[in-house]
Amino acid sequence: MNRLRAAAARGLRRSSGRAVPPAGQGRKGASPRGGAPAPAPPPAQHLFSDPAEIEALRGSLLAWYGKCKRDLPWRTLAATEPDADRRAYAVWVSEIMLQQTQVATVIDYYNRWMQKWPTLQALAQASLEVSVAGAGSSPCSPGSSSNTRLCLLEQEVNELWAGLGYYSRGKRLQEAARKVVSELAGQMPRTAEDLQKLLPGVGRYTAGAIASISYGQATGVVDGNVIRVLCRLRCIGADSSSPAVIDRLWDMANALVDRSHPGDFNQALMELGATVCVPKAPLCGECPVKQHCQARRRKLFGKPTPVPDVEDCDVGGCPLCPPATEPWDSSLGVTNFPRKAAKKQPRAVRTATCVLERRGCHGALEYLIVQRPSSGLLAGLWEFPSLPLAEGLQEEKQKEALADHLQAWTGWPVAAKGLQFIGEVIHIFSHIHQTYVVYSLPLDGDVTLDPALSPSRWVTEEEFHASAVSTAMKKVL
Ligand code: SF4
């Protein structure tokens, strides 16, 4: 059965996120001979084809993991929780939080989340209660108590998520929890294929992680750590973000995964990448699978390699070797692998932001924050009133544009000369180099806001830092 599953997994090639059949088997009645020739298998250097070697690698890796794995709250839950749905939920939350975020950062967030919503039902039920009450109207629009409740829940999620980045992840988790309860009778899908198909925000990696760790399904996973380890183990130097290489790595992960302990094996491979086979200075001497590592052999023995079974790779013509224009660099050793196509430069964006402040009724300074739209960058988070600036705008023009924006938004007369320049704050998002040009504007007297305008509120400094504001905005105050 497992072999059949593995064969099926190998037969599926990904294209634009959709599974398509292998070449020659696409449409009913199409002749395999009439289609494009099947791609040649990669050279042996890039494969694990010896069953004895696979067995040995699994054994070494699992033994090392048993001794050296880090003690992490989601691992404890996955190992001790008898209920499969609760186990899957615990793994799911951790996997979503760990996307793009370091383990050390995630632990606190994870513990707080699980304390607040310890089960899928707890999260879904809270979401459903407000969702049903708010049915028929768009979230976060003003003027309805049900929407206010829905917004409060989103706000709670955002507050808990603030600092983790990629805020849409928390929202998707909520949506998927609602779906499990309302459409799947409260039961999590039981296979990687169904998890990916049925749950919004669950991709191939997350589905594989949940299914292998929670249900023991013998399915591999490929994340950044696994990419690095596998590329080094098998000297894969072609662009590791290309679909062709990613497909090969999935095949390899599915072939390698231990059939009896798939969850531990997958976690071990990721743990190896996170703690030993690290990007810049891997600890090859301590590596439990060093005897299976082609990159290490190449580093030790140089080129041409004296290992007979790795001499069959035609460097330059091989789709998995480094391109001929970027050959092996002996000064880099094993860190020749993996390689990625050059990253696009982040886009430079300038935004004027205004810290509006007043004395609250207790004499403490208060600041006005407004909520961002419910989709797009930093969706639903709170910020100081802000305005994207056109390129090359001089300071006087910036102030005028910001004053006009504040006046149109608040309905109060705002003079550009009242805006005081404070400084610039830079924040780097993955794809944006953001500069906030910060102004302040003190306000006198009792200022009230029109509730029909964008959601807004006055907060003290302490409340500001406890609110669902982005890390970038926290740098401003
Ligand atoms: Fe990574 Fe070094 Fe181990 Fe190879 S021997 S897998 S490069 S840590």
Side-chain angles (χ1 to χ4, degrees), residues 229 232-233 272 276-277 282-284 287 289-290 293 296 334:
V229 173
R232 288 175 180 170
L233 285 174
L272 186 74
V276 175
C277 194
L283 310 169
C284 297
C287 177
V289 294
K290 57 178 178 274
C293 181
R296 184 164 177 271
V334 298

Side-chain angles (χ1 to χ4, degrees), residues 84-89 92 120 176-177 179-181 183-200 202 206-212 214-217:
D85 286 310
R86 282 175 166 239
R87 238 178 11 245
Y89 172 69
W92 182 20
L120 174 75
K179 182 168 180 183
V180 173
V181 167
E183 295 176 29
L184 306 174
Q187 196 187 51
M188 289 280 286
R190 286 290 191 263
T191 64
E193 295 75 16
D194 283 348
L195 284 160
Q196 188 179 352
K197 195 165 67 186
L198 298 175
L199 297 188
V202 172
T206 308
I210 297 172
S212 61
S214 312
Y215 310 141
Q217 184 185 353

Side-chain angles (χ1 to χ4, degrees), residues 373-386:
S374 58
S375 60
L377 183 71
L378 307 174
L381 294 192
W382 294 77
E383 65 181 9
F384 296 115
S386 298

Side-chain angles (χ1 to χ4, degrees), residues 9-356:
R10 275 198 299 279
L12 291 174
R13 303 182 66 228
R14 287 184 314 141
S15 168
S16 307
R18 288 169 48 197
V20 295
Q25 298 175 19
R27 279 170 295 172
K28 200 177 172 189
S31 160
R33 290 185 187 183
Q45 173 180 350
H46 302 303
L47 293 175
F48 281 97
S49 46
D50 176 0
E53 186 185 19
I54 293 177
E55 229 15 78
L57 182 143
R58 288 174 181 162
S60 305
L61 193 58
L62 284 169
W64 169 81
Y65 182 66
K67 276 191 291 185
C68 301
K69 68 181 171 208
R70 288 168 294 177
D71 194 12
L72 300 171
W74 46 90
R75 285 186 180 156
T76 308
L77 273 171
T80 56
E81 173 56 60
D83 181 87
D85 286 310
R86 282 175 166 239
R87 238 178 11 245
Y89 172 69
V91 174
W92 182 20
V93 173
S94 71
E95 290 298 341
I96 298 290
M97 286 190 171
L98 286 164
Q99 288 167 12
Q100 316 280 345
T101 313
Q102 300 285 323
V103 167
T105 309
V106 165
I107 292 174
D108 268 359
Y109 287 88
Y110 182 80
N111 286 336
R112 274 186 278 137
W113 181 285
M114 295 304 284
Q115 214 170 1
K116 194 163 188 63
W117 298 296
T119 63
L120 174 75
Q121 276 69 25
L123 176 63
Q125 200 52 45
S127 305
L128 279 171
E129 278 169 12
V130 288
S131 173
V132 167
S137 38
S138 74
C140 296
S141 59
S144 131
S145 63
S146 54
N147 282 332
T148 306
R149 292 173 66 208
L150 182 54
C151 287
L152 284 175
L153 180 74
E154 289 185 5
Q155 200 174 306
E156 269 187 297
V157 168
N158 277 339
E159 279 173 14
L160 215 143
W161 209 273
L164 269 182
Y166 300 92
Y167 297 87
S168 59
R169 294 179 294 169
K171 201 171 155 192
R172 290 238 195 86
L173 200 47
Q174 271 183 291
E175 285 166 10
R178 275 180 235 164
K179 182 168 180 183
V180 173
V181 167
S182 61
E183 295 176 29
L184 306 174
Q187 196 187 51
M188 289 280 286
R190 286 290 191 263
T191 64
E193 295 75 16
D194 283 348
L195 284 160
Q196 188 179 352
K197 195 165 67 186
L198 298 175
L199 297 188
V202 172
R204 193 177 182 184
Y205 161 76
T206 308
I210 297 172
S212 61
I213 299 169
S214 312
Y215 310 141
Q217 184 185 353
T219 185
V221 295
V222 174
D223 74 343
N225 284 320
V226 173
I227 288 173
R228 184 165 56 257
V229 173
L230 293 183
C231 283
R232 288 175 180 170
L233 285 174
R234 280 303 177 258
C235 279
I236 295 175
D239 175 7
S240 66
S241 60
S242 71
V245 171
I246 293 290
D247 278 353
R248 287 293 180 198
L249 295 175
W250 273 102
D251 289 348
M252 204 185 290
N254 280 321
L256 286 179
V257 65
D258 187 274
R259 274 39 187 169
S260 305
H261 304 95
D264 279 353
F265 180 87
N266 285 338
Q267 290 183 88
L269 204 53
M270 293 188 274
E271 187 85 341
L272 186 74
T275 61
V276 175
C277 194
V278 292
K280 290 210 173 113
L283 310 169
C284 297
E286 299 171 22
C287 177
V289 294
K290 57 178 178 274
Q291 67 275 33
H292 306 288
C293 181
Q294 301 290 10
R296 184 164 177 271
R297 283 187 191 177
R298 183 151 190 185
K299 179 187 165 203
L300 293 179
F301 300 118
K303 192 175 178 310
T305 171
V307 183
D309 65 344
V310 298
E311 285 187 327
D312 58 355
C313 193
D314 178 21
V315 178
C318 170
L320 296 179
C321 272
T325 49
E326 299 166 43
W328 166 270
D329 177 347
S330 54
S331 69
L332 297 177
V334 298
T335 64
N336 270 282
F337 310 104
R339 295 185 184 192
K340 267 193 193 166
K343 257 192 177 175
K344 271 209 291 189
Q345 284 298 314
R347 187 162 50 92
V349 174
R350 288 175 73 79
T351 298
T353 193
C354 186
V355 181
L356 285 157

